[in-house]
Amino acid sequence: LGYATSTVQNLVLTTIESTGRIGSLSEFNYASSVIILTYANSLYSEKSRDNVSYGLRLKSYTKGATTISGGQGEGVGLDVGVKYEASDRLSTAVMLKNLIGGSIKWSTGSIESLSKGIKLGIKYQIFNNIDLLISLLNINKYFMLWRP
């Protein structure tokens, strides 16, 4: 179980006056938080010998700005991942980000889509205390990033 929050206070809502000057209308605060519930387990069979495991991550989002009409939003997302340990030194994993849900519905009725994608990772243990980690992030038909 996890919780993260971020708040920005005393932001100024502005307007452009008829004279061309920027004027202050009011102040507001903005906050964003997420509650994360995770579960992981091993897929045991005689063939896999506990080498395959899976995990789920359910996220509940809340965002909002005080004193702004329609400035509140909520949503959920579900990530699913699978990890395979090929040997004591080599493992690989894949995660489907925001497979279910993945959007925030604002009180105005508009919907904000959260990023979806596939993440791939490989870990190779070079020495007892040195690992080589390779991850491919946000794999979809539009974008792929390699980060060694």
Side-chain angles (χ1 to χ4, degrees):
L1 181 65
Y3 176 76
T5 187
S6 174
T7 303
V8 180
Q9 296 183 355
N10 302 323
L11 296 166
V12 178
L13 184 60
T14 61
T15 185
I16 297 179
E17 298 174 349
S18 60
T19 61
R21 295 184 58 197
I22 297 175
S24 174
L25 293 176
S26 65
E27 287 189 358
F28 67 97
N29 301 328
Y30 180 82
S32 177
S33 63
V34 60
I35 297 173
I36 303 168
L37 178 64
T38 59
Y39 174 79
N41 202 354
S42 182
L43 291 173
Y44 179 77
S45 71
E46 290 297 320
K47 188 175 183 180
S48 70
R49 299 183 323 270
D50 271 340
N51 292 351
V52 178
S53 55
Y54 67 94
L56 304 170
R57 178 170 59 187
L58 179 64
K59 303 165 290 187
S60 174
Y61 298 97
T62 304
K63 294 182 175 188
T66 60
T67 70
I68 295 179
S69 176
Q72 290 74 36
E74 296 180 342
V76 295
L78 177 69
D79 302 337
V80 177
V82 176
K83 177 181 159 189
Y84 174 68
E85 294 184 27
S87 69
D88 290 340
R89 293 182 171 266
L90 178 65
S91 62
T92 185
V94 62
M95 183 186 75
L96 304 174
K97 185 177 174 187
N98 291 317
L99 180 65
I100 296 174
S103 64
I104 295 177
K105 184 173 183 179
W106 291 89
S107 52
T108 60
S110 64
I111 296 177
E112 174 186 350
S113 294
L114 301 173
S115 65
K116 295 179 185 262
I118 300 172
K119 294 184 177 184
L120 297 174
I122 300 170
K123 179 187 119 180
Y124 181 73
Q125 185 179 40
I126 299 171
F127 300 108
N128 286 341
N129 58 355
I130 297 176
D131 292 339
L132 172 65
L133 304 171
I134 298 173
S135 61
L136 298 171
L137 308 173
N138 297 325
I139 300 170
N140 58 34
K141 63 183 181 180
Y142 304 108
F143 177 73
M144 183 172 77
L145 172 68
W146 179 70
R147 185 185 330 171

